[in-house]
């Protein structure tokens, strides 16, 4: 679709068609909400793969959208290929330490229905673009960008411009700024990044090196950390053939472009014939915008927050933004959700973003440059002792980076205007049971399906006790929720694990309410969760600007 073909109005306009903007469009479009995605790039860029880790939580959302299998089929590195991270002096050199079962790439009982996936960002973008194009409610406008916007009480006027300078004006009920670090939408609403920036430069590159696997002594791995004084680096395969990515730590653009051949020879541990396909100089930033909303305009993804890439949390956090904002906007526009849902977006997402920034910054404190030591490749006793000391430090300082499921799955919304107070439960074990504001504990049902596969696109009331349900009066808000009977479907022990006989679950798989009985005030609970609670105005964030 061209600028000239743009509709005059839409329910939601999304600035930016990267993974976050596309994910928001899928979340909206699956619910029939009309939206337009405006993206400057005519085609998905393969020169800079950027994110390469899709964590368990993102894969759970892809499963919910029916896209997890499609993405895995296209990922150049299947999960079975490797779940290891190796620290070594070079690809052909001495191994110092290794982590196995990293980044959620291995199952953990029934804790989650989807393991993580290593895949270049462009694979995810391809899959999401196709999904958006398949949704009748969505329109994708390529080769164009948002040039400016202005809003009144009930709408936002957006000027869209293509590469030739042609312009069109679209009126939207809401606008999502998913247009990255150089966000026009962020500037238009007067928001700004707050935080710091690392002093050390880094030089990223993608390169092709036929036959490189013949020199790798350490077997397949998703990452190799090179601990070498002449080339402290992080390197990994993009596929099982000849294409690799690398980050040279502490190297600026001019040095990286000049010394790339020598650097790659050192990384490999012997001279090789490598061709640099693209470069990407960057400096880590630890920043979050001072506000993520102004009226009917919201920010998500890199437009709202930036963190160091170590641990692979950046894109995944942006997908979480898109999911949270997407279902809430759809609920409001569909009529069953109230304004409290939109008030809750920043309240719920900011603590998550702050935690990710903190953890990623902590991961950055020890890189290959901090692990350098003398004698690491010496064959004598001094070398053995140096390698043992290096291995201890690697295991002590880097474990949290590669085994972070508590961050990925264990975050809890501490406070929100759309979550009722934690109930007093007598069922189950307090230390193990579910919590309001946390991800619903997962299990596989007796027929083999994932519990998450039975959840609705709206609120879901999970019932583990039909007797209590028969005696209760359900609230007259059937449009807001679906009742799912799981009495005979869940495996033994799940009721104790859940810690309640009833659970109200949001579309994002977060627990909104738990109860041993269906209380008389269930209607009030549902109204709170769908953003129509009476206390909304007291807890909503102050709008500035």
């Amino acid at each position: 679709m061209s600028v000239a073909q743009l509709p005059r109005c839409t329910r939601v306009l999304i600035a930016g068609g990267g993974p976050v903007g596309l994910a928001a469009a899928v979340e909206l479009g699956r619910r029939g909400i009309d939206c337009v995605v405006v993206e400057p790039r005519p085609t998905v860029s393969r020169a800079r793969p950027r994110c390469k880790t899709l964590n368990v939580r993102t894969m759970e959302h892809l499963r919910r959208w029916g896209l997890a299998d499609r993405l895995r089929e296209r990922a150049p590195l299947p999960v079975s290929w490797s779940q290891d991270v190796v620290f070594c002096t070079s690809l052909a050199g001495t191994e110092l330490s290794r982590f196995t079962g990293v980044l959620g790439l291995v199952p953990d009982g029934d804790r989650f229905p989807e393991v993580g996936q290593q895949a270049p960002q462009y694979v995810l973008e391809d899959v999401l673009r196709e999904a958006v194009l398949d949704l009748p409610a969505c329109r994708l406008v390529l080769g164009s960008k948002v040039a400016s916007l202005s809003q009144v009480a009930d709408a936002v006027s957006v000027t869209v411009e293509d590469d030739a300078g042609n312009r069109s004006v679209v009126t939207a009920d809401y606008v999502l700024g998913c247009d990255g670090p150089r966000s026009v939408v962020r500037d238009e609403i007067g928001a700004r990044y707050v935080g710091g920036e690392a002093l050390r430069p880094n030089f990223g590159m993608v390169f092709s090196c036929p036959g490189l696997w013949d020199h790798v002594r350490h077997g397949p791995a998703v990452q190799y950390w090179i601990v070498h004084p002449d080339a402290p680096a992080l390197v990994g395969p993009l596929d099982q053939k000849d294409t690799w990515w690398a980050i040279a730590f502490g190297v600026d653009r001019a040095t990286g472009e000049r010394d790339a051949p020598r650097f790659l020879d050192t990384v490999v541990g012997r001279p090789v014939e490598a061709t640099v396909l693209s470069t990407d100089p960057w400096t880590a930033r630890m920043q979050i915008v001072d506000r993520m909303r102004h009226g009917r305009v919201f920010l998500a993804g890199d437009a709202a927050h930036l963190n160091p890439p170590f641990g692979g949390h950046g894109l995944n956090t942006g997908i979480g933004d898109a999911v949270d904002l997407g279902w809430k906007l759809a609920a409001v526009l569909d009529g069953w959700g109230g304004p409290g849902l939109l008030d809750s977006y920043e309240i719920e997402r900011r603590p998550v973003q702050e935690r990710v920034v903190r953890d990623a910054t902590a991961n950055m404190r020890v890189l290959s440059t901090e692990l350098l030591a003398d004698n690491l490749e010496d064959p004598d006793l001094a070398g053995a002792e140096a390698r043992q000391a290096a291995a201890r430090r690697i295991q002590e300082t880097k474990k949290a980076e590669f085994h972070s499921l508590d961050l990925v799955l264990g975050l809890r919304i501490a406070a929100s205007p759309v979550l009722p107070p934690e109930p007093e439960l007598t069922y189950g074990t307090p230390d193990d049971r579910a919590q309001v504001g946390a991800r619903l504990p997962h299990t596989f049902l007796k027929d083999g399906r994932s519990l998450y596969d039975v959840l609705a696109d709206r609120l879901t009331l999970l019932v583990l006790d039909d007797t209590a349900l028969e005696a209760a009066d359900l609230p007259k808000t059937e449009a807001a929720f679906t009742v799912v009977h799981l009495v005979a479907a869940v495996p033994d022990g799940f009721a104790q694990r859940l810690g309640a006989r009833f659970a109200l679950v949001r579309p994002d798989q977060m627990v909104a309410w738990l109860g041993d009985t269906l209380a008389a005030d269930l209607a009030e609970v549902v109204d709170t969760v769908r953003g129509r609670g009476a206390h909304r105005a007291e807890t909503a964030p102050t709008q500035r600007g």
Side-chain angles (χ1 to χ4, degrees), residues 289-312:
V289 290
D290 56 352
R291 54 195 173 98
M292 282 174 257
R293 177 187 182 184
H294 175 50
R296 291 174 171 265
V297 182
F298 298 82
L299 301 175
D302 286 354
H305 49 85
L306 298 168
N307 60 266
F310 307 106

Side-chain angles (χ1 to χ4, degrees), residues 3-16:
V3 166
Q5 296 171 310
L6 275 170
R8 296 184 61 182
C9 60
T10 185
R11 305 307 302 272
V12 181
L13 187 139
I14 301 171

